Amino acid sequence: MGDDEKVKSEALQIIERHQNLPSLVVFDLDYTLWPFFCECFYYDDTPYLYPQASGILYALKDKGISMAVASRSPTSDVAKSFLQRLGIHLLFLTQEIFSSWTHKTEHFQRIHATTGVPFTEMLFFDDEDRNIQTVSKMGVTSVLVGNGVNLGALRQGLSEFARKSASSSRS
């Protein structure tokens, strides 16, 4: 079994431990799914993901959990071509990739408008604390990642999401 399959299997186990799951998981790109700023690359460069990202994406897909991208990249064309070259572009319901000073609020408003998923039903992974703080205020469960999305971040995100949904359903 390859590394991606091992990660996918472990991610599936983590997901299966939770009854309350998000309707939509949203990922930033730079330093969250991949370890670089895409504006520092060219179209013909070879993109690559963090080691556990692919297995996690495919585990979420297998569990029927929708995914989206929210990225404040000034080079959306490069980011979109990288998603395509990595073969993961079709995993995402929507890709909101554009330069912005709003710390992702505009991205999430567009994601909500496109998908109809309430903010409280979303889980978000990003490497920038300012984005995490702002998006959390919208009601999105948000997780700060240090070295890209990994199994620990997935575990943390799903646990926080489950805790929030349990407490909101009691009130």
Side-chain angles (χ1 to χ4, degrees):
M1 187 180 332
D3 286 345
D4 284 349
E5 284 300 315
K6 282 183 191 165
V7 171
K8 180 181 169 185
S9 174
E10 198 170 330
L12 286 167
Q13 290 172 14
I14 292 168
I15 295 165
E16 287 164 3
R17 289 189 200 117
H18 297 278
Q19 288 182 329
N20 289 336
L21 293 169
S23 300
L24 182 69
V25 177
V26 183
F27 296 93
D28 171 45
L29 294 175
D30 298 343
Y31 290 97
T32 300
L33 281 184
W34 51 53
F36 51 82
F37 288 115
C38 62
E39 63 257 32
C40 298
F41 282 74
Y42 297 100
Y43 288 105
D44 56 350
D45 287 328
T46 303
Y48 53 96
L49 297 171
Y50 275 108
Q52 297 183 343
S54 181
I56 289 168
L57 293 173
Y58 283 99
L60 291 167
K61 178 185 185 283
D62 282 7
K63 282 297 177 182
I65 298 170
S66 297
M67 293 174 278
V69 169
S71 177
R72 291 186 313 119
S73 175
T75 54
S76 63
D77 48 346
V78 173
K80 287 177 181 179
S81 82
F82 281 7
L83 289 170
Q84 210 158 8
R85 291 190 45 213
L86 289 162
I88 59 174
H89 62 291
L90 295 176
L91 295 177
F92 304 105
L93 277 181
T94 185
Q95 300 171 20
E96 294 300 335
I97 307 171
F98 55 90
S99 196
S100 166
W101 296 105
T102 65
H103 305 308
K104 305 250 171 111
T105 54
E106 191 179 349
H107 295 76
F108 274 83
Q109 287 161 348
R110 288 184 185 191
I111 288 169
H112 169 67
T114 302
T115 65
V117 175
F119 297 127
T120 56
E121 287 294 312
M122 295 180 191
L123 172 58
F124 174 50
F125 295 95
D126 197 307
D127 67 310
E128 289 189 54
D129 192 51
R130 61 188 174 165
N131 295 330
I132 295 295
Q133 298 302 319
T134 305
V135 172
S136 293
K137 289 176 185 160
M138 298 173 81
V140 177
T141 301
S142 303
V143 176
L144 183 67
V145 297
N147 289 312
V149 71
N150 57 38
L151 292 167
L154 179 67
R155 191 176 295 110
Q156 177 190 348
L158 292 175
S159 295
E160 283 182 30
F161 181 86
R163 183 180 46 73
K164 273 182 158 180
S165 3
S167 68
S168 70
S169 65
R170 282 194 296 256
S171 48

